[in-house]
Each structure stands twice: as C-alpha cells, then as structure tokens.
Amino acid sequence: MKDHYEVVVVGGGIIGHAISYHLNKNNVTTLVVEKQQSGRKATNAAAGMLGVHTENSNANEFYKFCQSSRDMYQELNWELYQLTSIDIQLASGGMVELAFYEQEKQAMELKRQAFPNLEWVDPRQLKAWFPTLGKEAIAGIYMETDGHVEPSRVCEAFKQGAIAKGGKVREDCHVWNINHVAKTFHLDTDEGLITAERVVIATGAESGRWFTAMGLVNPMIPVKGECLSVISSGIQLKQTLFCKDFYLVPKRDGRYVIGATSERYNQSSYVSVGGIESLLTHFNTIFPSFRNARIDSFLTGVRPGTEDGIPVIGEHPSLPGLYYATGHYRNGVLLAPATAQLIGDLIMNQNQKVIENLVSPQRLAMVNS
C-alpha cells in the first residue's frame, strides 16, 4: 500500500472531500483520512442551504466569497453527475426570509439596501405564496439566486469524484499525531505511518487539537445543532423559508427539514427533548398546518464555529505545508467549493490574496508569542 502522498487531508466531511476532489482534478495526488465513515458528522446533519444572503448583512469580501462558492455549484452539479452519476439535488427555487415583527422588518430593510438584487415581498404576496402560514408575516425578501443541495450526496460525489481522478480514501482510520520531519509530514495513524509533502486539517469542530499541537491559539467554538425532517403529502412548498427562530427546507423526496437549534460549547452527539421541543414550539406557531405531518428523522451535529465568526482557511503562519480548512460554522456546505479552490490555489501557488488575508490562520496568535 502506498504510504506517501503529495497531500493528505485529515477529515472526511464535505470540506475535506471537496478539497481532495479539487486537488486530484488538478493532478495533485491526495489522500483523505477519516476516523469514522465519511460525512457522518456535521455534514450529515446539515440542511444544505446555500444561503448567501441569510449569512451576510453587507456586500463585503466574505459575502463575495460566499457568492462565488454558491455559483460554483451550477457547474459542479453537472460535472459531478457526469463523473459519478450522483445527483446532488441542486434546488434553485430561491429562499424567502420572513419578518413577523417591526424590528425584524427594519433589519430586513437594511439588508435590502445592501443587496439591491433582492426582491421585497409585501404581506399580500406572502399570503398568496404561503397560504398555510398560521401567523401573518409583515414583510419578506425573496433571494432568487440562493437555494440548497443534499449535503450527504454532495460529500459522496466529491469523494467518488476524487477517487475517479486518482485520489485515495482511508476511513475508520484515526490520526494520532502529526510531526514535521525534514520537510516531510509524518502522520501516525491506526494503519501505521503515512507521509506527505503537505497536510490539510479539515476536521471540523474537532480541529482544535491541531491548532494547539502546532503552536497556535485554538480559535474553535463547537456549536451543537439539532433539527428534524418531516413528511406531509398535503403541503407543497417550493421555496426555502428562513426566519429568526427556524428555517424550513423542502427536499425533492418530499421531506421538509426544520432547523436548527444552536448551543455553543455543547459537543454531545444525541438529540435532546428540549432542543426539539424548543424548535417545534417556534415552528408550530408559524406553521400549524404541519402538526399532522409525519416525523421522518431527527438529526444532530456539532458545527465548527470560531471566535471571530470567520473560517480558518490557509497555511500555518510558521509551518510551511500545513494548511487549515475549518471553522465554517453553519456554512460548510455553502463554502465547500470555494474553500477547496482556495486551498488548491495556495498549494499550487496561485494567488487569491484578498480573501486569503481575511480567512488566513495568520490572524491567529502563537501560543508562546
């Protein structure tokens, strides 16, 4: 078995496999090492929203990064299907953000000013679009270009696409230590020593240890999220709905994903009664018509948040060849394509200076500085 690679990506979620796909597609031989099965953590619990405008309040550089990543899905949708026969279920029905109180409406008006491409929707139109609303919305904005995908399918498509391009994957394989020896990285794993010219850390909420182990202050904040999916044959909604207390994402197979709670520093892996109760209390107030819907599944995952709310994507400030791709919080699905491109550009010595400076690990203090 080959034990040396140009690049080893530690972490087999959607970010890790997106990076592997991008690198292998560009003839950079890459191995993904995942301690469980791929996509079983935060990726598996995500709703897959490509919510560029729900995640940004002004058109800054991070917004442009989100926008470019969302737009990459248009080409990836076809490209990955041709290569793997996996339909990532890209939905382009748009998203609608709802306001029920005056303060929410005012915040929405500011967002509308920041993004002139968004369409203002009055209460009458909202009632026509969503007749099952149990509480009248006083305003809305329609984000036509935002949509959603099926995260587990995207992750698997990236994985299979990378393999088709010569990439490798080792699952159920834990990485215990990473050492830098004579310009080569040595990874101690369950399957023995793996060496690499470069290493990318993409272990999501578990990335903290790889900051402290490499001499950096740990910026990670784990944030537990819980959601559920339901099925209701009598309700037909096409647009994703987003409001202060919940979101509702209609899936092609008839499911509606309802989410999500947010609890900082909670890394538990179970679905809690209190979390689901809180979510459904808010949801049933707005959508009482779903009370008779059948519960399909409960989902939970720990999102990789950061202290400053910005992902960490780039090269270690003092250890060349070690890269981070983590801290995406609830935007991992949205930002997977652009993150993969940025890491690929850095490894292949191509320049993306503006966004690189924003998300780079260079902003993190050294532990002993």
Side-chain angles (χ1 to χ4, degrees):
M1 183 179 292
K2 181 178 179 181
D3 291 311
H4 181 79
Y5 295 85
E6 291 182 73
V7 179
V8 170
V9 177
V10 183
I14 194 169
I15 298 292
H17 283 298
I19 292 168
S20 178
Y21 174 68
H22 185 82
L23 288 171
N24 282 290
K25 188 171 68 170
N26 287 279
N27 301 311
V28 179
T29 305
T30 303
L31 166 72
V32 173
V33 182
E34 165 55 44
K35 74 173 187 178
Q36 298 178 359
Q37 293 292 299
S38 293
R40 294 292 179 86
K41 298 175 187 174
T43 299
N44 190 50
M49 289 187 294
L50 307 180
V52 174
H53 297 96
T54 58
E55 298 301 320
N56 292 277
S57 58
N58 56 75
N60 55 21
E61 290 303 324
F62 186 68
Y63 163 78
K64 295 175 184 177
F65 187 56
C66 294
Q67 186 180 48
S68 68
S69 195
R70 177 204 63 197
D71 292 347
M72 289 179 195
Y73 272 108
Q74 294 296 330
E75 183 175 345
L76 284 167
N77 183 40
W78 175 251
E79 181 181 299
L80 290 171
Y81 184 75
Q82 290 296 302
L83 191 60
T84 68
S85 297
I86 297 174
D87 180 2
I88 65 173
Q89 297 190 358
L90 176 64
S92 55
M95 298 179 66
V96 178
E97 185 170 355
L98 302 176
F100 296 95
Y101 302 100
E102 188 61 33
Q103 186 177 5
E104 295 172 354
K105 180 180 178 181
Q106 291 173 7
M108 198 173 287
E109 288 172 339
L110 292 175
K111 181 180 290 190
R112 176 68 179 83
Q113 292 172 22
F115 304 114
N117 59 310
L118 303 185
E119 178 184 339
W120 189 261
V121 189
D122 62 29
R124 185 176 63 177
Q125 183 62 52
L126 287 174
K127 191 65 177 178
W129 282 5
F130 309 113
T132 58
L133 281 176
K135 182 177 181 180
E136 185 174 355
I138 62 174
I141 48 176
Y142 177 48
M143 301 160 277
E144 182 179 11
T145 54
D146 295 350
H148 59 89
V149 290
E150 191 60 44
S152 59
R153 287 173 170 263
V154 178
C155 185
E156 186 66 19
F158 278 137
K159 172 185 167 181
Q160 296 301 330
I163 291 172
K165 294 294 183 180
K168 303 295 182 182
V169 177
R170 295 192 191 180
E171 298 176 324
D172 298 315
C173 181
H174 189 83
V175 177
W176 297 101
N177 294 293
I178 301 174
N179 298 297
H180 195 226
V181 182
K183 297 184 178 181
T184 302
F185 290 94
H186 289 199
L187 291 82
D188 297 320
T189 78
D190 288 337
E191 298 183 11
L193 179 67
I194 299 173
T195 62
E197 296 167 34
R198 296 178 177 88
V199 171
V200 182
I201 302 298
T203 49
E206 298 179 1
S207 299
R209 62 181 291 234
W210 299 118
F211 287 96
T212 54
M214 302 303 175
L216 295 176
V217 169
N218 178 13
M220 303 301 298
I221 298 178
V223 185
K224 181 179 180 179
E226 298 170 89
C227 60
L228 71 154
S229 65
V230 302
I231 296 174
S232 178
S233 58
I235 300 174
Q236 301 295 325
L237 298 176
K238 294 182 179 180
Q239 292 93 351
T240 294
L241 297 180
F242 186 90
C243 60
K244 176 179 176 291
D245 295 317
F246 68 88
Y247 58 71
L248 177 68
V249 185
K251 294 298 183 177
R252 193 180 300 176
D253 60 3
R255 290 179 299 123
Y256 292 92
V257 180
I258 305 165
T261 62
S262 184
E263 191 173 354
R264 288 159 61 98
Y265 296 108
N266 186 338
Q267 299 185 70
S268 62
S269 59
Y270 61 86
V271 178
S272 69
V273 172
I276 297 301
E277 180 185 37
S278 173
L279 190 60
L280 286 177
T281 297
H282 293 303
F283 179 72
N284 287 331
T285 299
I286 309 301
F287 276 105
S289 54
F290 273 89
R291 287 184 182 275
N292 293 321
R294 173 168 60 89
I295 292 178
D296 176 66
S297 64
F298 296 106
L299 304 168
T300 185
V302 182
R303 311 180 191 97
T306 62
E307 291 282 358
D308 61 7
I310 300 294
V312 183
I313 310 169
E315 193 169 19
H316 190 289
S318 63
L319 190 54
L322 179 69
Y323 301 83
Y324 294 92
T326 187
H328 295 79
Y329 183 40
R330 59 186 184 188
N331 296 313
V333 177
L334 168 64
L335 292 176
T339 298
Q341 184 179 68
L342 177 54
I343 290 292
D345 286 350
L346 293 171
I347 287 175
M348 294 181 284
N349 297 314
Q350 298 174 10
N351 198 354
Q352 281 199 25
K353 269 299 180 193
V354 175
I355 190 63
E356 178 189 344
N357 290 339
L358 175 65
V359 300
S360 171
Q362 295 284 345
R363 73 186 192 271
L364 304 177
M366 303 292 289
V367 171
N368 297 318
S369 62

Coordinates of all heavy atoms in Angstrom, one line a residue, residues 12 71 92 111 116 175 197 208 228 263 277 306 309 328 334 367:
G12 N -12.9 13.7 6.7 CA -13.7 13.2 5.6 C -15.1 13.7 5.6 O -16.0 13.0 5.2
D71 N -22.2 30.0 -6.6 CA -22.2 29.9 -8.0 C -21.5 28.7 -8.6 O -21.8 28.2 -9.7 CB -21.7 31.2 -8.6 CG -22.6 32.4 -8.3 OD1 -23.7 32.2 -7.9 OD2 -22.1 33.6 -8.5
S92 N -33.0 25.3 -7.1 CA -32.9 26.8 -7.4 C -34.2 27.5 -7.3 O -34.4 28.5 -8.0 CB -32.3 26.9 -8.9 OG -33.1 26.2 -9.8
K111 N -31.0 45.2 5.0 CA -30.4 44.1 4.1 C -30.8 44.4 2.6 O -29.9 44.2 1.7 CB -30.8 42.7 4.5 CG -30.2 41.6 3.7 CD -30.7 40.2 4.2 CE -30.1 39.9 5.5 NZ -30.3 38.5 5.8
P116 N -29.3 45.2 -3.5 CA -30.4 45.7 -4.4 C -31.0 44.6 -5.3 O -32.1 44.8 -5.8 CB -29.7 46.8 -5.3 CG -28.5 47.2 -4.5 CD -28.0 46.0 -3.8
V175 N -6.0 9.6 13.0 CA -4.7 10.2 13.0 C -4.4 10.7 14.4 O -5.1 11.5 15.0 CB -4.6 11.4 12.1 CG1 -3.3 12.1 12.1 CG2 -4.9 11.0 10.6
E197 N 3.9 15.5 1.6 CA 4.6 16.8 1.4 C 3.8 17.9 2.1 O 4.4 18.9 2.5 CB 4.8 17.0 -0.1 CG 5.7 16.0 -0.7 CD 5.6 16.0 -2.2 OE1 5.5 17.1 -2.8 OE2 5.8 15.0 -2.9
G208 N -9.6 21.7 16.9 CA -8.9 22.5 17.9 C -7.6 21.9 18.3 O -6.6 22.6 18.5
L228 N -34.9 18.4 12.5 CA -35.7 17.2 12.2 C -36.2 17.3 10.8 O -36.2 18.4 10.2 CB -36.8 17.0 13.2 CG -38.0 18.0 13.1 CD1 -39.2 17.3 13.7 CD2 -37.7 19.2 13.9
E263 N -26.3 25.7 20.2 CA -25.8 25.7 21.6 C -24.3 25.6 21.6 O -23.7 24.6 21.3 CB -26.4 24.5 22.3 CG -26.2 24.5 23.8 CD -27.0 23.4 24.5 OE1 -27.8 22.7 23.9 OE2 -26.8 23.3 25.8
E277 N -38.1 20.2 21.3 CA -39.3 20.9 21.8 C -39.3 22.4 21.5 O -40.2 23.0 21.0 CB -39.5 20.7 23.3 CG -40.7 21.3 23.9 CD -40.7 21.2 25.4 OE1 -39.7 21.2 26.0 OE2 -41.8 21.0 25.9
T306 N -16.0 29.7 15.2 CA -14.7 30.3 15.6 C -15.0 31.5 16.4 O -16.1 32.0 16.5 CB -13.9 30.7 14.4 OG1 -14.6 31.7 13.6 CG2 -13.5 29.5 13.5
G309 N -16.0 34.4 14.1 CA -17.0 34.1 13.2 C -16.6 33.9 11.8 O -17.4 33.8 10.9
H328 N -16.1 26.7 9.6 CA -17.1 27.2 8.7 C -18.5 27.4 9.4 O -19.4 27.9 8.7 CB -17.3 26.3 7.5 CG -16.1 26.2 6.6 ND1 -15.0 25.5 6.9 CD2 -15.8 26.8 5.4 CE1 -14.1 25.6 6.0 NE2 -14.6 26.4 5.0
L334 N -22.2 25.5 1.9 CA -22.2 26.6 1.1 C -20.7 26.9 0.6 O -20.5 27.1 -0.6 CB -22.7 27.9 1.8 CG -22.4 29.2 1.1 CD1 -23.1 29.3 -0.2 CD2 -22.9 30.4 2.0
V367 N 0.9 30.5 20.5 CA 0.7 30.2 21.9 C 1.8 30.8 22.8 O 1.5 31.4 23.8 CB 0.7 28.7 22.2 CG1 0.7 28.4 23.7 CG2 -0.5 28.0 21.5

